[in-house]
Amino acid sequence: MTDDMVGYFKSFFETPSALGLGLAIVFGAVWLACYWPPLFKKPWLWAVLVSSAFLTLAAVCFIQYPLQVWAGQALNHFWSQEVLMRWILLAAIPQMLLTGLVQEGSKLVPVVVYWWRSGRSLDPKLGLVIGAVAGAGFAIFEAQGILSEWTLELVQTYGFVALLAFWERFFTVAAHIAFSALAGYGLAKGWGWQFYLMTSFLHGLLNYSVVFRAAGLFTDIHTEIYIAVLAVLATAWALWLRWRKTASATEPAISPP
């Protein structure tokens, strides 16, 4: 198990490509720009972005991975593979929920650190912006790992279907940023665990698209539309919270605690 976890961690660094990294950065920049974080005026936000990427990657490899393996082993202990496939819409729920709980929790760590050092008092819009930056960190890192595997040979072999990876990653990056932004907002509003559970559920719901596809309910096109719609709805909610007028029209000061 340990070797598998370490190997999984290393796999994110084994085949980087300029194209994959470049596209991931562009995707992240496009969506993060909608939140207008002061990354250049407040350079400490870059530390949030980078730390979130590595914390979440470590959590995926050393927490999420073994938990999902053990959950799968537990299910296989009680039911055959044939039964599990017949009931896949239910059987896959634990693993999908684990994905959301682990990833949204780890992305939220830098936001919690800032909130804690600020005396557990944070302007909601500031919490949302920091959350968006934290979400972008892992979103970009994850996207480059997947997009770096794309080649022209895949297009020649699979045609249009091979191009769906771009669509999926573009909107998955948006979802990562929006979920973390909402979690950061909830933390600042005093609804930390409620928003954490909600965004974890939304994350699991996003990943549940693969279950619909495995069950034969979705085609590849349906899956990509599902991901895009959920990502856009979450982003719209987060951006509404970011830009809506409040009693105080001035932006909160964003400075290190």
Side-chain angles (χ1 to χ4, degrees), residues 59-97:
V60 167
C61 297
F62 300 107
I63 299 176
Q64 176 185 313
Y65 178 81
L67 286 177
Q68 288 184 316
V69 169
W70 293 331
Q73 290 174 344
L75 290 171
N76 282 306
H77 178 76
F78 293 103
W79 295 284
S80 67
Q81 196 65 31
E82 181 182 354
V83 171
L84 291 175
M85 285 303 299
R86 191 183 312 141
W87 293 92
I88 190 171
L89 294 177
L90 290 176
I93 289 176
Q95 293 183 329
M96 295 300 103
L97 291 178

Side-chain angles (χ1 to χ4, degrees), residues 23 54-55 247:
L23 285 172
F54 284 97
L55 281 171

Side-chain angles (χ1 to χ4, degrees), residues 107-192:
K107 286 190 295 176
L108 196 58
V109 168
V111 189
V112 172
V113 170
Y114 187 96
W115 168 77
W116 186 269
R117 294 189 62 192
S118 299
R120 292 187 288 182
S121 177
L122 196 60
D123 183 274
K125 288 193 176 184
L126 174 54
L128 186 146
V129 167
I130 300 174
V133 172
F138 179 67
I140 293 171
F141 199 91
E142 181 186 52
Q144 71 81 25
I146 294 172
L147 293 173
S148 290
E149 297 176 356
W150 183 87
T151 63
L152 289 175
E153 287 75 13
L154 288 176
V155 178
Q156 294 171 349
T157 303
Y158 298 102
F160 172 75
V161 174
L163 298 175
L164 293 178
F166 294 101
W167 172 284
E168 181 174 321
R169 278 303 108 190
F170 182 70
F171 286 104
T172 302
V173 167
H176 267 300
I177 294 173
F179 296 159
S180 296
L182 291 170
Y185 177 86
L187 177 68
K189 289 287 287 185
W191 305 326

